Amino acid sequence: MEKTLNRIHPVSDPEATYFLQVSWEKDLGAGFGIILTDGQCAWTGTVSEADVSREAADMEMDRKKYVEELKKALIAGEESAGKYNFAVSRDKENMECHFSYEKNLKDGSFRLGCLKLHKVSSPADVVKELIGYCLDCLGRLQAKNEHLQKENERLFSNWSDAKKRLEKCVEAKEELEADLYNRFVLVLNEKKAKIRNLQRLLNEAEESAADA
Amino acid sequence: KAPDLSSVNKVSSVFEDIEFCVMTGTGKYSKSELESRIAECGGSVVQNPGLDTYCVIVGTENVRVKNIIASNKYDVVRAEWILQCLQHKMLVPWQPAFMIHMSPDTKENFAREYDCYGDSYTADTDVAQLKEVFSRMKDNKMMLLEKIAELEERYSWNSCQLSIFRGNSIYVDFYAVVNEPGTKIHGTTLSIRALELRFYGAKVVPYLEEGVSHVIIGEDHSRVEEMKALRRTFGKKFKIVSELWVIQSVEEGVPKNENQYLI
């Protein structure tokens, strides 16, 4: 069972804040449950797999595409804020509540779905459950964060260690090369000095031969 | 303390009529062992070098050996030479590697055949001999990168894969403030690029000065404008390239054309 909790502001009363929890198994297309609360009252309802198919058919929309839209509207939360409208209308006794969700278009909007939610007898329990869910999420994220941070530290320390070793290799290579080239040049220059000396002897011999 | 060598069996006449003075033995062969091996091959052994002594044989150097060297009268030869003579059953010619010290005469003879590092003027050398010659050189100056670049150019070794960036003087943009090496940004991939540049022959410099051939830029382009402004004041223009230039040159083993990587 998966769940998300989002804050929504109904178009009729943008000042008001409602908390919308959507719960589903595997995929929204297979139906989902809704809990809506303003902190004092709570309402609940479900959308079945058949409801999803019917809505998609009514709209003459590809079912897959429709489910994608549902996801964006009900699950995505902050990032899709403004792109979707929510309407909440309650009766006087707060017994029933009409909840509908629509996609915002440039020229108007079209309704993705609507359902009748029923009042929950003990809203406090629902709110408790929602807070509990939030705390669980928070705990999980904190643990994950800590784990990632440790992992990151470990990776960084491995990286610096490898870098230091690489630095040593580079230094050793540079030194070896400079040293070998230096020795090579010394030996090479000895050979050249010898060649110069032989050239000098040859010139001297030629000169003395010419003199004679 | 002269050993009694009268009872040795003569096995060859390699050292016939040659007088040796063995000073010390090696870790493997003691002084007396060396002496009897010499005697077996027809050589004679004395305890102090004299006028007829061919050479002084030394395994490990000590004070007495130093005094003999200081007298500058005798050729002082490593015991390895004797062992090679025995192995090859012939009088192996002296090579610089065998000589601990040379008398002035021998030195002059050697100077005709070998340079002052012991490399022959006429005989071809090989890896082992050259290694040996190099190992006996005491001058441990390091050659400057610029000189290495010239040398590689001269002998056409500059196509070597380890010399991709040879001759280049490169500034790597990993200082938060240009030309302030104290502000180095640690932990970036640019520090690996700098090591790669060095490994493949470049000179990596801490200051962006006249003479720099390339500037390497990472993901952060915030200092590029400043460097371009600096470049306008330079006589010799450097190229500003992305670190991809380094990565791809190394991958392909050839210096890639910078123009594809200009920033």
Side-chain angles (χ1 to χ4, degrees), chain B residues 73-250:
Chain B
K73 280 196 277 191
Y74 304 98
D75 291 316
V76 182
V77 187
R78 289 182 201 285
E80 281 79 13
W81 172 69
I82 286 284
L83 298 171
Q84 283 209 7
C85 292
L86 295 169
Q87 194 192 332
H88 295 106
K89 297 194 172 57
M90 60 174 280
L91 214 55
V92 174
W94 281 345
Q95 284 161 30
F98 294 131
M99 310 309 288
I100 295 174
H101 180 76
M102 288 180 274
S103 65
D105 277 359
T106 312
K107 207 169 202 167
E108 205 177 296
N109 285 331
F110 263 89
R112 272 182 229 126
E113 266 303 305
Y114 298 96
D115 66 21
C116 63
Y117 306 107
D119 184 45
S120 169
Y121 286 121
T122 50
D124 287 345
T125 191
D126 57 30
V127 173
Q129 278 185 53
L130 200 57
K131 249 187 185 170
E132 205 273 325
V133 167
F134 278 8
S135 75
R136 269 183 296 122
M137 295 171 83
K138 291 188 177 77
D139 189 350
N140 282 332
K141 267 192 312 184
M142 291 291 166
M143 184 171 280
L144 293 174
L145 275 168
E146 288 85 348
K147 291 271 171 208
I148 292 178
E150 277 173 33
L151 198 67
E152 288 183 342
E153 185 97 32
R154 163 78 178 75
Y155 292 100
S156 306
W157 290 329
N158 42 3
S159 57
C160 167
Q161 289 216 354
L162 288 176
S163 307
I164 301 172
F165 304 119
R166 190 70 86 198
N168 291 326
S169 178
I170 299 178
Y171 176 86
V172 180
D173 178 42
F174 52 21
Y175 303 116
V177 182
V178 176
N179 272 346
E180 285 194 25
T183 61
K184 185 163 174 188
I185 305 158
H186 290 276
T188 69
T189 54
L190 279 181
S191 50
I192 301 297
R193 294 295 92 74
L195 289 173
E196 278 183 302
L197 285 165
R198 281 169 60 191
F199 188 80
Y200 292 100
K203 183 179 184 185
V204 173
V205 295
Y207 294 101
L208 184 48
E209 298 170 323
E210 190 84 36
V212 164
S213 59
H214 297 81
V215 169
I216 307 295
I217 306 285
E219 287 176 351
D220 180 4
H221 287 196
S222 62
R223 289 170 291 273
V224 171
E225 281 314 308
E226 189 186 345
M227 293 195 239
K228 283 185 176 167
L230 197 58
R231 182 166 63 180
R232 275 173 227 125
T233 69
F234 282 13
K236 182 180 175 271
K237 309 293 185 196
F238 52 82
K239 285 180 170 139
I240 303 179
V241 291
S242 116
E243 63 178 317
L244 218 57
W245 176 63
V246 183
I247 295 169
Q248 294 188 349
S249 296
V250 168

Side-chain angles (χ1 to χ4, degrees), chain B residues 23 49 56 63-74 76:
Chain B
M23 283 266 163
V56 175
V63 183
R64 256 189 94 209
V65 174
K66 277 191 186 123
N67 289 336
I68 294 285
I69 290 171
S71 76
N72 202 23
K73 280 196 277 191
Y74 304 98
V76 182

Side-chain angles (χ1 to χ4, degrees), chain A residues 4-207:
Chain A
T4 58
L5 183 62
N6 282 316
R7 246 186 309 233
I8 58 168
H9 303 285
V11 274
S12 53
D13 183 9
E15 294 295 304
T17 301
Y18 285 83
F19 298 94
L20 171 70
Q21 189 193 62
V22 182
S23 53
W24 69 96
E25 300 276 359
K26 280 181 200 160
D27 186 63
L28 274 193
F32 51 93
I34 276 180
I35 296 174
L36 187 70
T37 172
D38 61 356
Q40 282 164 342
C41 298
W43 301 271
T44 177
T46 52
V47 176
S48 66
E49 187 166 4
D51 292 334
V52 172
S53 302
R54 189 172 40 75
E55 289 279 6
D58 284 354
M59 251 174 286
E60 288 174 352
M61 204 171 165
D62 179 48
R63 194 178 187 277
K64 251 190 188 164
K65 260 189 172 174
Y66 175 71
V67 172
E68 279 306 310
E69 285 295 332
L70 278 183
K71 267 188 203 163
K72 283 187 208 160
L74 300 174
I75 300 177
E78 304 295 326
E79 65 221 66
S80 62
K83 290 178 194 155
Y84 296 90
N85 293 336
F86 299 95
V88 178
S89 63
R90 323 153 38 159
D91 59 16
K92 289 228 173 79
E93 287 83 37
N94 281 335
M95 288 307 286
E96 274 187 352
C97 170
H98 277 276
F99 176 63
S100 64
Y101 32 100
E102 332 172 306
K103 186 177 166 87
N104 232 342
L105 296 173
K106 266 182 210 154
D107 40 2
S109 60
F110 78 88
R111 176 176 287 192
L112 286 171
C114 75
L115 69 159
K116 205 182 264 177
L117 301 174
H118 303 284
K119 189 177 181 177
V120 177
S121 53
S122 57
D125 285 348
V126 170
V127 171
K128 251 189 224 167
E129 196 203 307
L130 294 185
I131 293 174
Y133 167 77
C134 288
L135 288 177
D136 286 350
C137 275
L138 199 65
R140 264 202 310 277
L141 289 173
Q142 238 157 16
K144 194 174 174 185
N145 195 18
E146 232 165 78
H147 170 76
L148 288 174
Q149 222 148 24
K150 265 191 199 144
E151 190 68 6
N152 199 27
E153 269 165 35
R154 192 182 62 78
L155 289 172
F156 184 73
S157 112
N158 284 356
W159 184 87
S160 338
D161 186 52
K163 200 200 104 186
K164 266 185 214 140
R165 279 156 195 271
L166 179 62
E167 207 165 333
K168 271 194 181 162
C169 292
V170 170
E171 269 164 24
K173 186 256 177 185
E174 284 178 332
E175 273 169 31
L176 178 71
E177 192 175 62
D179 182 49
L180 283 178
Y181 270 127
N182 182 51
R183 289 168 200 258
F184 167 75
V185 163
L186 290 173
V187 170
L188 187 66
N189 285 341
E190 282 290 312
K191 298 295 157 314
K192 291 186 173 177
K194 182 75 171 181
I195 291 169
R196 276 197 303 276
N197 198 26
L198 291 172
Q199 264 173 344
R200 189 178 52 80
L201 289 174
L202 184 65
N203 287 342
E204 278 172 14
E206 276 172 354
E207 272 167 33

